[in-house]
Each structure stands twice: as structure tokens, then as C-alpha cells.
């Protein structure tokens, strides 16, 4: 094969952003490969015929950012709806709004506290363990917001997320638990938010809609029977942007970085709207899943195109990931951080290869973070690499 100027491994938002930039600024020819059968990485979505819902295949994706550079960049490829994210939680047979706010507090305590009264109450309840060094997540939660609210809304939910009793989890997992002493239940505090008007996949297709960008799907970088593999590209000296797992790149030679994954269970209902909201958390231990996503409700502006009699819900079950699972959330223990630092040093020494994205750098990144780091990686790492090759 005749190789292009740049090969991008992974058609997620990191890879697509770098590819788009390489064409726009360097006129490069770029080939993108992905092992999956679609582009978009974890932000990929598809339309469900029966209900008219847009299903986010790898979990609910809400776009939000306060970064002007990122907001202007993404708006080149899609318009956004006016969607504003809000989350509800079922606890002990009652539905509350999250994050914990004055509405949640007054409903929970059946009270009419003012902001100052509610704040005084929470401080008093948190005082139970004031001044102590929390030995585990349970104690930390109590110390942050007091036992009643912690046990109602955080304890069992977190236990399900980690499949571990919070009394056995390290306190370091939670830094803070937001409590709002007003009725603002808007989930994100960012300047801009919304959902791509005609879906995530259309947005991402437009990013690479250029004859200089080609794509091979179902193509594994480590499969030496296909031409865009690690060994062949290295021998040919082709610049590579790699967004797969960094430990996999080095054949796990220093050990595996640890992740959590989520299993999704699809449930269909013969009714137009099951929860009345897009995200319902289940705060108690008797429901085995953490939360349920009702995708139709992310796009109320599409009501006319949706089936009024059917809906689809995905229940989320969280667990530790094995090698064959989708890695979703880095576990990030001190041991993981130390291991990643070793892989990071190896990655930095890898010739003509730029590592990026959530898997390539072992980080939980929201979409806006990934796009921001990709724009920077293009400027600081990829552009100089392409310029050096072009000068040869
Ligand atoms: P991404 O994982 O998207 O892409 C990497 C690609 O590399 C994949 O397509 C993979 O198949 C490919 N690949 C890996 N190994 C390969 C190999 N050997 N050969 C070829 N290809 C290979 N963000 C946000 O802003 N709002 C939100 O609401 C959410 N919600 C959310 C929910 C859940 C459950 C998760 C796990 C994540 C989110 N996110 C999010 C984060 C969001 O998914 C994330 O920021 C981006 O998808 C990351 O894009 P990347 O390109 O870094 O990785």
C-alpha cells in the first residue's frame, strides 16, 4: 500500500479532531482506522426505529463546555438543541431532584427551610464526624453532607457503582459532594450545553467529510494481516496518532491499567413515556442497577417523529472491567497512577507516535476535554511531526 501522511488509530472525538485539523492546516492525507464497525468512538449513537429514540450506544452523552475554543469548534459541524440536563432519583418510593438542592432537602425532611436554615442543618449533621480523618468513603460522605442525606442519596448508589460496600472503599474516591442551598437543579454549571441537533453520528461524519480523509472500520491496529498495523507503519516510518489503550500498545508488559465498565440492559415499554425524564437514578440497594436512561426524553424537540406509544430504557449495571470489556472509567488508584506514569514515559519515547484520548492517556475525559486536548495535541505534537516529514 501507499501510506498516507498520517494514520489515526481510533475514530473517536480525539482521532476525528486531529484528522480534521491535519487536513485543514497541513493539507495532509489522513487514514483513520477503528476496530469497531462505526465511527464516533464512545460518543456514537443510532436511531431506534420502533420508538424514534436516539440511543447513545456507550451510555448517555450530554455535551457541555465553558471552553470557547471548543464551543466554536464543535459548532462548525453541528447545531445544538436547547437541552438542559436534569437528573432525578428514586429513594424509598419517592422521586427527588439531584444534585441535592434545597428542593431535595425540603422534600426529604418535609420542611420549608430557607437556604441559611438548610445550610445550618447540614453542617450540624455533618458535625457527627467533624475533625476526624475519614477512614473510608462512608465516613467521608457523612462528614461532607451528614448521615441522613448521605445514606439516602449517595451510599447505596456509590456501593452499586463500585460493587463494593462504601465502608470498604477508600475515602479518596469522593473529594466533595455538591449541595445547593437554592432550587437550582440544573446538572451542569457550564456556559454552553445541548445535544447535537441531528444526532452525534451526523456531527462526527461532518468532521471528516473531506476526500483527503479515508476510513477503515473493523480494522485492528494490532492485526498484522491488515496494512495499517503497528509493525508495518513503524517500519514504513508513518506518523501515527494512537487513541487506543496505552497498556495494550505495549502488550501489557508492565501490567494492566484498571477500569470500571457498565453493562446496559435494554427494556422496552408499551407506553409513550416511562419515567417522564431522561435519567432516573435509583438510590437504594433493592434496585440492582444504578440508573436508567430513557433516550426519547433527551430530544423532546423530536416528539413529532417519535412513537407516542413505545419507549426504550437502558438500565446501567456497573462493575470492574476485565480485558475483554469496554473500559469506561479509570479506577485510578495510587498503583494505577504509578503504572500509568511508567507507560506514559514509554509512550513519550515512541518515535513518530502521538498518544491521546481517554484510553491513550488513561484519563476520564468529557467530550469537551477530549476535543480541547486534541486541538492542542495537533498544534504541539502532530503539526511539527507532519512538517518534519514534509521537509524530508
Ligand atoms: P473513544 O473511546 O471515543 O475512541 C477511541 C476509539 O479507538 C474507539 O472507537 C475504539 O474502538 C478505537 N480503538 C481502540 N483500540 C483500537 C485498536 N487496537 N485498533 C483500532 N481502533 C481501536 N462525555 C461528555 O462530555 N458528556 C457525557 O455525558 C459523557 N457520558 C459518558 C458516559 C460513559 C458511560 C462514558 C464511558 C463516557 C462518557 N463521556 C461523556 C466521555 C466521552 O465518551 C469521551 O470523552 C469521548 O468519547 C472520548 O473520545 P476518545 O476519542 O478519547 O475515545
Amino acid at each position: 500500500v501507499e501510506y498516507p501522511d498520517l494514520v489515526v488509530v481510533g475514530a473517536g472525538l480525539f482521532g476525528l479532531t486531529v484528522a480534521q485539523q491535519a487536513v485543514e492546516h497541513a493539507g495532509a492525507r489522513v487514514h483513520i482506522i477503528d476496530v469497531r464497525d462505526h465511527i464516533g468512538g464512545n460518543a456514537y449513537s443510532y436511531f431506534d426505529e420502533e420508538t424514534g429514540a436516539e440511543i447513545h450506544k456507550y451510555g448517555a452523552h450530554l455535551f457541555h463546555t465553558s471552553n470557547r475554543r471548543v464551543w466554536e469548534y464543535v459548532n462548525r459541524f453541528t447545531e445544538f438543541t436547547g437541552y438542559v440536563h436534569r437528573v432525578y432519583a428514586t429513594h424509598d418510593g419517592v422521586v427527588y431532584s439531584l444534585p441535592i438542592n434545597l428542593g431535595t432537602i425540603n422534600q426529604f425532611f418535609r420542611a420549608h427551610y430557607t437556604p441559611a436554615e438548610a445550610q445550618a442543618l447540614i453542617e450540624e449533621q455533618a458535625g457527627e464526624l467533624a475533625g476526624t480523618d475519614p477512614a473510608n468513603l462512608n465516613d467521608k460522605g457523612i462528614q461532607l453532607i451528614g448521615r441522613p442525606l448521605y445514606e439516602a442519596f449517595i451510599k447505596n448508589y456509590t456501593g452499586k457503582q463500585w460493587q463494593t460496600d462504601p465502608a470498604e472503599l477508600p475515602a479518596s474516591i469522593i473529594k466533595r459532594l455538591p449541595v445547593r442551598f437554592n432550587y437550582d437543579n440544573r446538572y451542569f454549571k457550564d456556559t454552553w450545553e445541548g445535544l447535537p441537533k441531528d444526532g452525534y453520528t451526523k456531527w462526527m461524519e461532518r468532521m471528516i467529510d473531506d476526500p483527503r480523509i479515508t476510513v477503515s472500520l473493523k480494522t485492528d491496529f494490532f492485526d498484522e494481516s491488515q496494512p495499517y498495523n503497528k509493525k508495518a507503519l513503524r517500519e514504513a516510518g508513518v506518523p501515527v496518532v494512537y487513541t487506543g489503550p496505552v497498556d495494550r500498545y505495549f502488550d501489557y508488559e508492565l501490567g494492566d491499567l484498571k477500569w470500571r465498565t457498565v453493562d446496559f440492559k435494554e427494556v422496552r415499554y408499551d407506553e409513550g413515556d416511562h419515567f417522564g425524564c431522561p435519567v432516573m437514578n435509583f438510590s437504594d440497594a433493592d434496585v440492582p442497577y444504578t440508573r436508567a436512561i430513557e433516550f426519547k426524553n433527551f430530544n423532546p424537540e423530536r416528539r413529532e417523529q417519535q412513537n407516542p406509544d413505545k419507549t426504550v430504557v437502558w438500565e446501567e449495571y456497573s462493575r470492574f472491567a476485565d480485558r475483554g470489556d469496554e473500559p469506561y472509567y479509570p479506577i485510578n488508584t495510587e498503583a494505577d497512577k504509578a503504572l500509568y506514569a511508567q507507560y506514559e514515559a514509554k509512550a513519550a519515547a515512541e518515535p513518530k507516535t502521538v498518544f491521546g484520548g481517554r484510553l491513550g492517556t488513561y484519563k476520564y475525559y468529557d467530550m469537551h476535554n477530549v476535543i480541547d486536548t486534541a486541538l492542542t495535541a495537533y498544534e504541539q505534537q502532530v503539526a511539527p511531526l507532519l512538517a518534519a516529514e514534509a521537509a524530508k
Side-chain angles (χ1 to χ4, degrees):
V1 288
E2 201 203 311
Y3 285 118
D5 303 313
L6 175 68
V7 170
V8 172
V9 181
L13 279 168
F14 191 95
L16 299 179
T17 303
V18 170
Q20 189 279 333
Q21 291 286 288
V23 168
E24 183 163 287
H25 297 296
R29 291 168 306 132
V30 183
H31 191 69
I32 305 174
I33 66 167
D34 202 295
V35 68
R36 291 174 174 169
D37 64 359
H38 58 73
I39 66 156
N42 278 7
Y44 169 78
S45 70
Y46 60 93
F47 286 92
D48 177 62
E49 276 200 20
E50 185 186 51
T51 59
E54 178 183 342
I55 295 185
H56 306 176
K57 183 169 179 184
Y58 303 93
H61 277 68
L62 300 316
F63 190 82
H64 56 97
T65 187
S66 297
N67 181 323
R68 182 175 294 278
R69 169 168 85 151
V70 170
W71 182 242
E72 286 175 357
Y73 181 71
V74 298
N75 273 274
R76 292 174 52 189
F77 309 105
T78 182
E79 286 177 59
F80 285 84
T81 68
Y83 178 78
V84 173
H85 195 44
R86 292 194 162 84
V87 172
Y88 294 85
T90 301
H91 162 64
D92 205 9
V94 177
V95 174
Y96 297 88
S97 86
L98 290 184
I100 297 171
N101 61 74
L102 195 50
T104 325
I105 293 169
N106 276 329
Q107 190 182 357
F108 184 77
F109 292 108
R110 299 181 62 79
H112 51 91
Y113 296 126
T114 64
E117 287 167 351
Q119 193 161 357
L121 175 78
I122 303 308
E123 271 164 26
E124 183 198 318
Q125 294 180 340
E128 181 183 334
L129 293 179
T132 63
D133 192 13
N136 55 55
L137 191 147
N138 214 47
D139 289 358
K140 179 83 174 275
I142 294 167
Q143 202 181 63
L144 286 169
I145 60 171
R147 188 181 292 272
L149 290 173
Y150 165 74
E151 289 186 345
F153 296 107
I154 310 297
K155 181 179 179 166
N156 293 305
Y157 191 87
T158 309
K160 288 191 279 188
Q161 275 185 314
W162 292 91
Q163 294 289 292
T164 306
D165 182 338
E168 309 287 321
L169 288 168
S172 59
I173 288 179
I174 44 174
K175 300 270 178 293
R176 47 187 289 276
L177 291 170
V179 175
R180 296 179 186 167
F181 297 104
N182 59 37
Y183 292 92
D184 178 12
N185 69 340
R186 184 176 163 172
Y187 197 81
F188 299 117
K189 289 196 163 287
D190 279 316
T191 312
W192 298 286
E193 73 173 293
L195 291 169
K197 210 165 189 172
D198 40 14
Y200 279 97
T201 303
K202 280 270 159 34
W203 159 15
M204 296 186 286
E205 281 168 2
R206 282 186 211 112
M207 290 177 73
I208 53 166
D209 181 14
D210 188 291
R212 288 165 288 187
I213 301 181
T214 48
V215 181
S216 308
L217 299 175
K218 297 190 216 166
T219 303
D220 186 342
F221 186 56
F222 302 103
D223 171 5
E224 291 181 8
S225 73
Q226 61 84 14
Y228 301 95
N229 69 73
K230 176 181 169 187
K231 187 159 167 269
L233 292 167
R234 172 190 284 259
E235 278 168 12
V238 181
V240 168
V241 170
Y242 176 80
T243 72
V246 62
D247 51 358
R248 171 68 187 95
Y249 184 95
F250 295 106
D251 236 342
Y252 305 103
E253 63 182 60
L254 306 172
D256 291 46
L257 292 164
K258 302 287 189 292
W259 295 82
R260 280 191 298 127
T261 192
V262 179
D263 297 318
F264 303 107
K265 184 180 167 206
E266 182 169 293
V267 185
R268 288 177 183 267
Y269 293 97
D270 289 322
E271 57 187 324
D273 194 355
H274 187 67
F275 288 118
C277 62
V279 179
M280 180 64 77
N281 284 15
F282 289 89
S283 307
D284 300 336
D286 58 338
V287 175
Y289 45 94
T290 48
R291 59 178 195 173
I293 310 297
E294 186 167 11
F295 291 104
K296 272 171 89 176
N297 290 332
F298 281 134
N299 299 101
E301 79 288 354
R302 294 184 195 151
R303 280 289 179 255
E304 296 297 306
Q305 294 102 271
Q306 295 173 340
N307 186 336
D309 303 317
K310 304 261 188 198
T311 192
V312 57
V313 165
W314 278 22
E315 298 166 355
E316 296 191 356
Y317 297 80
S318 187
R319 62 178 171 83
F320 288 95
D322 292 320
R323 258 189 207 177
D325 295 319
E326 293 292 347
Y328 279 161
Y329 300 102
I331 295 197
N332 247 337
T333 59
E334 292 308 314
D336 287 317
K337 286 180 200 162
L339 181 57
Y340 173 63
Q342 287 181 273
Y343 277 124
E344 189 181 21
K346 288 178 76 72
E350 210 41 26
K352 293 191 194 174
T353 306
V354 174
F355 289 72
R358 55 183 209 96
L359 300 166
T361 58
Y362 189 62
K363 281 195 182 58
Y364 180 83
Y365 273 143
D366 273 325
M367 293 180 278
H368 63 100
N369 303 124
V370 158
I371 294 164
D372 192 45
T373 55
L375 292 170
T376 300
Y378 176 76
E379 283 169 14
Q380 295 183 355
Q381 295 173 269
V382 182
L385 197 56
L386 294 175
E389 290 298 306
K392 278 187 189 162

